[in-house]
Amino acid sequence: MASTASSLERTMEKALREIKSIQRDLRHLSNLINADVRTADRLISVPEACKYLGKKKTAVYAMISRGDLPAKRDANGRIRLSFNQIQHYIQK
């Protein structure tokens, strides 16, 4: 009986740690979204877009190919995306 209670306590502690972690992630996302409203538009790289979207490069390139995310090439031929467009996509 004592081992069952101990096991239950460990499970509950683990669940509480997970909840706290999720709360931190939500606060971080909220700060990003709120900060972006006040940020002037700028062009960002595909790796930066991946961080904001939480997606891999192949997924971001596929989104660009489908026309889900507008992108253009800079003078060096690198793909750039509008920071504001990324935020708009996230908020959809």
Side-chain angles (χ1 to χ4, degrees):
M1 188 73 144
S3 67
T4 303
S6 176
S7 175
L8 181 59
E9 286 175 5
R10 283 193 304 272
T11 302
M12 289 182 67
E13 288 172 0
K14 183 178 178 182
L16 286 173
R17 283 192 304 271
E18 288 295 318
I19 289 169
K20 287 180 183 179
S21 175
I22 291 168
Q23 287 173 330
R24 278 192 305 273
D25 291 345
L26 288 172
R27 276 194 304 276
H28 177 68
L29 285 172
S30 176
N31 290 339
L32 280 176
I33 291 169
N34 292 332
D36 297 337
V37 170
R38 297 180 299 270
T39 303
D41 196 16
R42 63 186 175 94
L43 297 178
I44 63 173
S45 66
V46 171
E48 281 181 280
C50 292
K51 290 178 187 175
Y52 288 113
L53 295 168
K55 298 191 180 288
K56 294 183 180 182
K57 282 185 187 179
T58 54
V60 172
Y61 284 120
M63 293 166 74
I64 293 168
S65 294
R66 287 192 308 265
D68 295 340
L69 291 175
K72 62 182 178 180
R73 292 194 181 270
D74 66 9
N76 297 318
R78 294 175 297 208
I79 294 178
R80 299 293 181 196
L81 299 102
S82 162
F83 183 76
N84 286 347
Q85 288 291 329
I86 297 292
Q87 293 305 310
H88 179 71
Y89 182 86
I90 290 170
Q91 293 175 358
K92 280 193 208 176

